[in-house]
């Protein structure tokens, strides 16, 4: 775990408001970043915004603004989401920043000098909405193009193309010999299936300025801007390259600063819809530019709500900001991480959210911490008794399982393992009935054992859960009278609570909520 760990999210298009899907990806990436830090690794976590291209230009025009003014105004709300979600990102990139333009142009200049590009004429169908060229293969059986492409037009234009075919055999070999490069395995198989059955077409990497001005100019032809995906993917290298990381800056001829820790290559967290961009185009771009390919691509599924696609038009949306305002940031972070494993698709229901909140957070973790502290306050004036090991084996087992799960990016699994301890400790309260012992002076020694075991289990849970619910974990630490943050997984060895130390004031962590009114929503989602 000594190597620095560089992790990124997809950068979101700045053409609307953030929704559940965007927030989910940022939260799970943050959980991975925090868990790696807690496991002792040096982490660099990057997220940001994809601001060029047709979609953004169109959105700006619709609001009567210049693309830059439009982006500057909207970027404030998106950066605010990162804060709202309590992301621990080390940097936030916007593709309109000068540092990014410099790196994109360095990549383009290098590939151009190597003779990787050709000029060609394109004549055929084009989707302005998706900014992509279409072929007959993209048509539905009825001859129309899927509605996701919006209006499809025909185009005749000259552009720069990047032939990918010379790299195809190398890429297949790379994916075959690195079984963990793309996860989960079914996404890896999907990419391999495609690469083995189809010849890669040349990638069009430019757009004529006359048609689309909102992009980064090609350094070797001012009549063109860079294709938005070529621009956007490069963001992952922009940050380490402009910091002077040798592995990113060096091959591009940018200044290297030896004191900068080696960051590149990164682990990318992305949604299933942008798999091909990240596992075909991007590795080939990097290989051609002489940079290492990504360490890993973790592909998550898509959320629906009530079994239907999220859609602004139909109003079937979950506003993450509204949920956080209503229920608290950790309730949101917990639910999305616990409900959906990294990979499959998920379904948000307000009832499911409220049920997990009530059962697992309020009655599970919240109740455990609250009653453990309250009993210690009432029966021992808040003073931690001598060490007892009654729950030590359960806590050690949970801690080992949680750490192993974090190390394997099994975030849902980490929570399931942690809740074994929550449930065990709550059951221990029922079994031992400390409220009865407190009435019987001959049981004083036993009561000390129970009280110690409970507060120590709470301490360990704070550490185990910090990557997912950092705010709550911090509150547990404070209520236990502990200084600092519960952000070191090595501190989960049993026996950390010091006999004679004094705990703080118990405060409910997850206030119980009234069940939803019949005609109302358990949770505000829009
Ligand atoms: N700008 C590109 C990514 C460029 S990365 C170099 C893009 N942006 S996006 O805003 O459309 O999507 C950003 C991320 O959110 C993607 O990883 C996408 O898969 C994810 N999601 C968008 N909708 C989603 C759901 N409904 N559910 C889960 N994630 C979803 O693509």
């Amino acid at each position: 775990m000594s190597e620095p760990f560089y992790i990124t999210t997809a950068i979101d298009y700045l053409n609307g408001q953030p929704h559940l899907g965007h927030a989910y990806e940022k939260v799970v990436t943050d959980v991975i970043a925090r868990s790696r830090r807690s496991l002792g690794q040096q982490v660099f976590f990057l997220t940001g915004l994809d601001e060029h291209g047709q979609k953004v230009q169109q959105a700006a025009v619709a609001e009567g603004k210049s693309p830059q003014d439009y982006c500057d105004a909207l970027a404030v709300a998106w950066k605010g989401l990162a804060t709202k979600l309590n992301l621990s990102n080390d940097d936030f990139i916007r593709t309109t920043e000068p540092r990014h333009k410099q790196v994109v142009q360095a990549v383009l200049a290098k590939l151009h000098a190597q003779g990787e590009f050709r000029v060609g004429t394109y004549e055929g169908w084009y989707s302005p909405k998706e900014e992509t060229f279409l072929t007959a293969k993209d048509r539905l059986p009825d001859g129309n193009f899927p509605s996701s492409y919006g209006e499809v037009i025909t185009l005749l234009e000259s552009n720069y193309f990047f032939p990918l075919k010379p790299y195809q055999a190398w890429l297949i070999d790379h994916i075959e010999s690195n079984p963990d490069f793309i996860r989960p395995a079914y996404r890896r198989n999907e990419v391999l299936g495609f690469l083995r059955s189809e010849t890669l077409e040349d990638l069009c990497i430019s757009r004529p300025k006359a048609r689309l001005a909102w992009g980064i100019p090609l350094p070797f032809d001012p009549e063109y801007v860079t294709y938005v995906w070529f621009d956007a993917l490069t963001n992952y290298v922009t940050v380490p390259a402009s910091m002077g990381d040798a592995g990113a800056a060096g091959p591009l001829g940018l200044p290297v600063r030896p004191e900068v820790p080696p960051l590149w290559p990164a682990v990318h967290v992305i949604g299933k819809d942008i798999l091909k961009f990240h596992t075909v185009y991007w590795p080939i771009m990097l290989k051609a530019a002489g940079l290492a390919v990504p360490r890993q691509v973790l592909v998550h599924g898509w959320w629906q709500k009530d079994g239907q696609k999220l859609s602004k038009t139909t109003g079937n949306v979950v506003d993450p900001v509204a949920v956080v305002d209503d229920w608290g940031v950790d309730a949101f972070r917990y639910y999305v991480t616990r409900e959906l494993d990294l990979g499959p698709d998920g379904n948000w229901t307000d009832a499911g959210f409220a049920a997990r909140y009530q059962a697992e957070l309020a009655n599970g973790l919240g109740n455990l911490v609250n009653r453990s502290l309250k009993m210690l306050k009432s029966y021992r004036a808040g003073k931690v008794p001598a060490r007892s090991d009654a729950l030590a084996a359960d806590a050690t087992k949970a801690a080992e399982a949680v750490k192993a799960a974090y190390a394997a990016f099994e975030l849902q699994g980490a929570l399931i393992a942690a809740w074994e301890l929550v449930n065990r400790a709550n059951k221990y309260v029922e079994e031992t009935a400390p409220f009865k012992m407190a009435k019987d002076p001959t049981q004083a020694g036993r009561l000390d054992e129970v009280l110690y075991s409970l507060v120590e289990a709470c301490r360990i849970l704070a550490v185990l859960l910090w990557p997912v619910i950092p705010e709550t974990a911090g509150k547990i630490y404070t209520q236990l009278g502990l200084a600092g943050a519960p952000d070191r997984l090595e501190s989960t060895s049993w026996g950390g609570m010091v006999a004679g130390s004094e705990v703080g004031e118990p405060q409910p962590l997850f206030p119980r909520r009234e069940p939803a009114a019949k005609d109302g929503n358990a949770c505000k989602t829009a």
Side-chain angles (χ1 to χ4, degrees), residues 67-320:
Q68 191 65 59
D69 287 350
Y70 168 85
C71 289
D72 289 345
L74 206 54
V76 176
W78 282 80
K79 272 193 169 176
L81 177 72
T83 312
K84 191 118 213 160
L85 295 173
N86 203 359
L87 302 186
S88 61
N89 53 303
D90 298 281
D91 203 338
F92 188 98
I93 185 160
R94 297 181 53 193
T95 54
T96 46
E97 290 171 86
R99 60 175 174 168
H100 180 63
K101 182 175 161 189
Q102 187 196 12
V103 175
V104 169
Q105 291 191 330
V107 175
L108 286 164
K110 180 166 183 184
L111 298 185
H112 183 248
Q114 281 173 204
E116 300 280 350
F117 301 144
R118 68 166 178 89
V119 176
T121 304
Y122 175 82
E123 184 171 12
W125 293 291
Y126 184 74
S127 152
K129 178 167 173 251
E130 286 305 314
E131 217 167 301
T132 192
F133 298 96
L134 300 169
T135 67
K137 273 186 274 170
D138 299 304
R139 284 176 132 164
L140 297 168
D142 66 7
N144 291 317
F145 289 98
S147 59
S148 57
Y149 288 120
E151 190 200 356
V152 174
I153 58 172
T154 49
L155 266 189
L156 169 63
E157 69 184 27
S158 184
N159 269 309
Y160 287 86
F161 288 84
F162 178 16
L164 307 177
K165 198 174 139 221
Y167 295 95
Q168 187 156 359
W170 160 79
L171 183 58
I172 293 174
D173 182 60
H174 180 78
I175 299 173
E176 280 175 345
S177 38
N178 294 279
D180 271 345
F181 176 53
I182 304 168
R183 272 185 49 182
Y186 50 88
R187 296 291 172 212
R188 172 177 179 265
N189 294 339
E190 195 180 313
V191 177
L192 274 177
F194 160 76
L195 282 172
R196 287 184 187 132
S197 64
E198 289 182 40
T199 303
L200 287 176
E201 288 178 18
D202 299 355
L203 180 68
C204 180
I205 58 107
S206 65
R207 297 294 183 264
K209 229 182 211 164
R211 180 164 68 75
L212 174 66
W214 186 232
I216 297 177
L218 293 187
F220 45 85
D221 191 337
E223 293 307 308
Y224 290 88
V225 298
T226 313
Y227 169 43
V228 68
W229 268 102
F230 193 103
D231 160 348
L233 287 162
T234 306
N235 92 85
Y236 303 130
V237 162
T238 294
V239 171
S242 39
M243 285 163 73
D245 168 24
L252 299 176
L254 298 168
V256 169
R257 288 186 200 93
E259 69 279 11
V260 173
L263 283 185
W264 187 257
V267 171
H268 301 310
V269 179
I270 56 154
K272 62 178 184 178
D273 56 320
I274 53 177
L275 178 66
K276 191 169 156 188
F277 295 99
H278 285 81
T279 59
V280 178
Y281 302 155
W282 181 226
I284 292 179
M285 284 165 62
L286 290 163
K287 173 78 177 162
L291 282 116
V293 298
R295 214 174 273 285
Q296 204 168 36
V297 182
L298 302 175
V299 189
H300 65 76
W302 267 41
W303 282 90
Q304 296 192 326
K305 178 172 185 256
D306 301 327
Q308 304 290 322
K309 196 172 176 276
L310 300 179
S311 157
K312 260 188 285 183
T313 342
T314 62
N316 195 46
V317 287
V318 178
D319 174 0

Side-chain angles (χ1 to χ4, degrees), residues 21 166-167 213-214 446 475 518:
Y167 295 95
W214 186 232
R446 240 338 243 133
K475 283 183 189 164
K518 273 212 180 83

Side-chain angles (χ1 to χ4, degrees), residues 314-349:
T314 62
N316 195 46
V317 287
V318 178
D319 174 0
V321 173
V323 178
V324 169
D325 285 343
D326 194 9
W327 293 79
V329 63
D330 282 351
F332 180 79
R333 290 176 60 108
Y334 174 78
Y335 176 73
V336 293
T337 312
R338 175 62 185 81
E339 181 68 21
L340 186 55
D341 203 6
L342 267 189
D345 290 337
N347 187 32
W348 174 291
T349 63

